C-alpha cells in the first residue's frame, strides 16, 4: 500500500506514473521483508524505525547511508509498506518534520 501527502492512497499504476517525474519512493518495510518479498525498483529502503532519524540527517550522511540524495522538505516523496499502516505512519512523521 502506498501513501503520499496529496493522495493518501495511490494505486501501483499511479506510482509508476509518478516515478516518471522526480518523486522519491521510500519503502518503510523492514530489511528482512525486502529480502523475503523483494525490492520495489527505484525505491530506497528506510525501515520505519529509522525514518525520523534519517529525515533529520546531514545530507552527506544520508547519501552515504542510503546511496540517494536526501529529499528536501518540498520534494515529492511516496512511502510504501506491506499493508499501508506503516506508510501512513511514515507520512505522519515526515509531515511533523515539516515535509509538505
Amino acid at each position: 500500500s502506498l501513501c503520499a501527502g496529496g493522495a493518501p492512497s495511490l494505486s501501483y499504476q499511479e506510482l509508476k506514473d509518478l516515478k516518471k517525474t522526480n518523486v522519491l519512493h521510500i519503502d518503510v518495510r523492514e530489511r528482512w521483508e525486502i529480502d523475503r518479498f523483494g525490492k520495489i525498483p527505484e525505491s530506497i529502503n528506510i525501515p520505519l524505525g529509522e525514518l525520523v532519524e534519517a529525515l533529520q540527517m546531514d545530507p552527506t550522511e544520508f547519501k552515504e547511508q542510503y546511496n540517494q540524495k536526501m529529499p528536501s522538505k518540498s520534494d515529492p516523496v511516496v512511502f510504501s509498506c506491506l499493508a499501508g499502516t506503516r506508510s501512513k505512519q511514515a507520512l505522519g512523521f515526515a509531515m511533523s518534520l515539516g515535509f509538505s
Side-chain angles (χ1 to χ4, degrees), residues 1-3 25-29 33 40 79-88:
S1 190
L2 312 160
C3 284
H25 178 191
I26 299 176
D27 188 334
V28 295
R29 292 178 296 162
E33 291 176 281
I40 299 169
F79 298 104
S80 68
C81 63
L82 201 60
T85 304
R86 289 173 288 180
S87 57
K88 282 185 178 61

Side-chain angles (χ1 to χ4, degrees), residues 3-8 51-52 55-56 72-75 77 79 87-100:
C3 284
L51 185 68
V52 172
L55 293 177
Q56 298 179 87
S72 77
K73 294 200 187 307
S74 61
D75 285 343
V77 179
F79 298 104
S87 57
K88 282 185 178 61
Q89 286 180 287
L91 180 62
F93 290 157
M95 291 172 81
S96 74
L97 291 171
F99 284 81
S100 55

Side-chain angles (χ1 to χ4, degrees), residues 16-33:
K16 283 177 70 170
D17 292 343
L18 269 176
K19 285 188 168 219
K20 293 174 189 160
T21 67
N22 196 22
V23 69
L24 176 62
H25 178 191
I26 299 176
D27 188 334
V28 295
R29 292 178 296 162
E30 296 299 321
R31 289 186 176 84
W32 68 265
E33 291 176 281

